[in-house]
Amino acid sequence: MIHHFLRQHDLETPFKRPVLLCAELSVLILLVSMMGSPGLGWAQEDEECLACHSAEHGSAEAPDVPLIDDGLCARSTHREMGFACIDCHMDIDELPHAEDLESVNCGGCHDEIAEAYAKSVHGVAHENGDHDTPTCATCHNMTLPKDDPKSSINRLRISRLCGNCHSDPKIMSSHGISSTNQETLYRGSQHAKALLAGNENAPTCISCHGYHDTRPLRDPESRTNFMHVPETCGQCHKVEYGQFAESVHGKSAASGHKDAPVCTDCHGEHGVIRASDNTSPVSFFNLSQNTCGRCHSSIVLNNKFGIEAGNVERFMDSYHGLALQHGSQEVANCGSCHGNHLILPSTDPRSTVSSERLVETCGVCHPGITDNVLAAPIHADVSIRSEFLAAWVPRIYIPLILVIIGGMLLHNGVILFGEMRAKFRAEASQPRYRRFNSFEIFMHILLTISFIMLVVTGFALKNPDSWWVTLLSYLQMSEAARALLHRIAGVTLIVISILYAFYMVITRRGRSEVWAMMPKWYDLRHVHEHLAYHLGRRSAPPDYDRYDYTEKMEFWALVWGVIIMAVTGLILWFPILSFQYLPKWAIDIAELIHYYEAVLATLAILVWHFFFVMFHPEEYPMSVTWLSGKMTKKHLKHRHPREYERLAQQKGVFEEPEIEEDQQKGEDEDQ
């Protein structure tokens, strides 16, 4: 106490040692005299204080007296150093003492700590009369050493100690602080888990916010001020800190740009979670859209720092982004190409996305990739060379789709209007003609299945947020599963097409089918006659042969569509091989054509083919010819009169059903 007194009065200097020696001798003489004086020996021992304040042996006559745990008191730092109660409670001069004692001045001994506390957010608030602010006694109750398990400043208890105030909504709201879940977030963090696992270096609240000199975030001296966050985290994460300091983000933050991200902007503050956890903001699935995208999709920040706008949106629309949104763990995200902490501008030769290293970076996932990847910006929709052509693809296809599909809708609308005026006449069992053989039926069924699978899996990739894609996800149809099914269906379609092409060339029936499908000049006349018939301007429909103009259009559209989809699909399936023979712009155009051709083919099937097979009044609810391969004699005569006249001259062509005699007589009369 003498030393602390002399320090407070600037007496402890090398030039005043005699003063110190005299003071110590005087106090020693005073203490000896007090021991011999019965009137001044009232507080020589702490037992006299514990006679009332002991939790075990205290007085029961004064229930409001603060009680002290004898065991904890014995383990306190002050007791081990030989301090007595009156060394801190110096205003006690008699027993019983006054009820309202002065607050203990810890700064009498801990002067440097007291100075730090006075400048802290807690100290300033306390000086301004804030009674919620913690003081020395709030945190250092019983002054137990920090390695004592019961100590409030033990590493395992610090979060709870700080949380006593910072998790109290009432206290936080009274100070204008909305966040009250810091303790909860910390307890679920990787830091807390490491602490509980016995890692002595795991950070606690005081590791980041400081001990006694806790400063507010806006204070430039605060360890959690954005300028100092990297350094604070770097106490443990030295390698990452060194990389971040060299990065474009680190240099921007160090120059004072508050918009530049620091550690807490990406990893969070109190709830820091491992990247392997899907709830982490830097997890594989959250990194691109939720973390990097939060800044890089901002129009304000892009304009402020001169960054090309739309990179995030274009990435999310690319194959990588679309697959990422649907659970693929093999595609690249932002960190895969740009890195995590050592993010450098593309103009820096050390950058993983610089022209010197881009092939190497892409080659991690795509071995064998060539310099063709440098032909265009990675995030752009198409390369610079293909911008002109790419701009014309939608200009051609969109009007083409509108004209073709619009014409189909108009055409079918006229037919539907005409047919709905006529009465639908149910047909009983009639003689039938085998129109398609088993091979043709089987090929058509495979074609139908593969086409539907291609449509569903292909458009699911392009429209990941659609409700039906979400439904597929619930049915365990993940992006990886859909990608596999898409390729299987694509191969099936190609194989079917090749087999059927051979069938049409090497077999007599196949060649006859091809000849029957060939467009003739009279098909143009049939279009006019058909529409005129349904508009009531003609008494009879056209006299079609084996196939009418609608079936011929479907067949050759199928041939055209399969070739285009197969070629462009293979280019997109094997991009590394394609890069060796094709420029980047050709692959960009192939992707666009593949998409627009898929739209055209799907709409054509829905609007044109489904109408004639399912929704046409003569076929509703569905023609079964594509399943049985047979068409009734009556239907054949009505739809294909030329073919009927040719077949009627042959014997055994029509299969006669077993029906009642009177029914047969009625049908003969009709015929």
Side-chain angles (χ1 to χ4, degrees), residues 358-499:
L358 187 57
V359 173
E360 174 190 348
T361 300
C362 296
V364 173
C365 297
H366 305 286
I369 199 167
T370 66
D371 290 340
N372 277 333
V373 73
L374 302 177
I378 298 301
H379 296 107
D381 292 324
V382 292
S383 66
I384 297 175
R385 296 180 183 178
S386 61
E387 284 183 355
F388 176 79
L389 293 175
W392 275 100
V393 170
R395 291 176 185 174
I396 294 174
Y397 261 99
I398 291 177
L400 185 64
I401 291 172
L402 292 176
V403 171
I404 293 178
I405 303 304
M408 290 177 177
L409 288 171
L410 180 61
H411 177 277
N412 294 349
V414 172
I415 296 175
L416 184 62
F417 171 77
E419 287 294 329
M420 289 303 292
R421 295 182 309 166
K423 294 181 180 180
F424 179 79
R425 186 176 178 183
E427 297 180 355
S429 297
Q430 300 180 31
R432 293 187 298 175
Y433 162 65
R434 176 167 287 280
R435 187 170 175 81
F436 305 114
N437 60 35
S438 299
F439 175 78
E440 294 166 346
I441 295 172
F442 180 70
M443 289 291 102
H444 184 265
I445 292 175
L446 285 182
L447 175 66
T448 303
I449 296 173
S450 61
F451 179 83
I452 294 175
M453 190 178 297
L454 284 168
V455 170
V456 172
T457 56
F459 285 115
L461 177 65
K462 205 65 177 176
N463 302 276
D465 297 324
S466 300
W467 64 269
W468 59 274
V469 179
T470 303
L471 179 61
L472 290 178
S473 299
Y474 280 119
L475 298 176
Q476 305 303 316
M477 288 280 289
S478 63
E479 192 280 333
R482 293 196 298 271
L484 177 61
L485 290 174
H486 193 80
R487 287 161 175 77
I488 292 175
V491 172
T492 303
L493 182 63
I494 294 174
V495 171
I496 292 172
S497 303
I498 294 174
L499 290 176

Side-chain angles (χ1 to χ4, degrees), residues 134-324:
T135 62
C136 304
T138 306
C139 301
H140 295 277
N141 187 25
M142 297 303 298
T143 65
L144 293 173
K146 62 182 180 181
D147 56 352
D148 191 308
K150 294 290 185 179
S151 173
S152 56
I153 60 170
N154 183 277
R155 294 179 60 81
L156 296 176
R157 290 176 172 267
I158 286 177
S159 63
R160 176 60 56 84
L161 172 65
C162 298
N164 288 335
C165 294
H166 287 275
S167 293
D168 188 327
K170 185 176 181 180
I171 295 177
M172 292 294 98
S173 61
S174 65
H175 292 79
I177 302 175
S178 59
S179 178
T180 60
N181 63 341
Q182 290 95 330
E183 181 188 0
T184 303
L185 290 173
Y186 173 78
R187 288 181 175 274
S189 71
Q190 183 58 34
H191 292 157
K193 292 177 181 178
L195 183 66
L196 293 175
N199 186 345
E200 296 182 354
N201 296 320
T204 62
C205 306
I206 59 176
S207 303
C208 301
H209 294 276
Y211 295 85
H212 304 95
D213 59 342
T214 305
R215 303 291 184 92
L217 292 177
R218 61 182 177 275
D219 191 323
E221 299 298 324
S222 172
R223 299 184 187 182
T224 54
N225 181 277
F226 91 100
M227 291 287 290
H228 298 295
V229 165
E231 181 181 355
T232 299
C233 297
Q235 295 175 116
C236 300
H237 305 284
K238 294 180 173 57
V239 174
E240 290 80 2
Y241 172 54
Q243 293 177 343
F244 177 81
E246 288 293 317
S247 73
V248 63
H249 292 156
K251 291 180 178 179
S252 181
S255 64
H257 289 296
K258 293 185 178 181
D259 293 319
V262 293
C263 311
T264 53
D265 291 308
C266 299
H267 294 275
E269 298 171 344
H270 299 92
V272 179
I273 306 174
R274 280 187 180 275
S276 56
D277 191 320
N278 288 339
T279 61
S280 171
V282 293
S283 69
F284 187 82
F285 298 109
N286 292 331
L287 181 66
S288 297
Q289 191 168 17
N290 297 330
T291 301
C292 298
R294 188 175 65 250
C295 294
H296 286 275
S297 61
S298 169
I299 298 176
V300 174
L301 293 182
N302 285 332
N303 291 338
K304 182 176 181 179
F305 292 100
I307 301 173
E308 182 183 2
N311 283 334
V312 175
E313 291 75 12
R314 285 191 287 269
F315 169 77
M316 299 311 296
D317 286 337
S318 70
Y319 172 78
H320 290 156
L322 293 169
L324 188 66

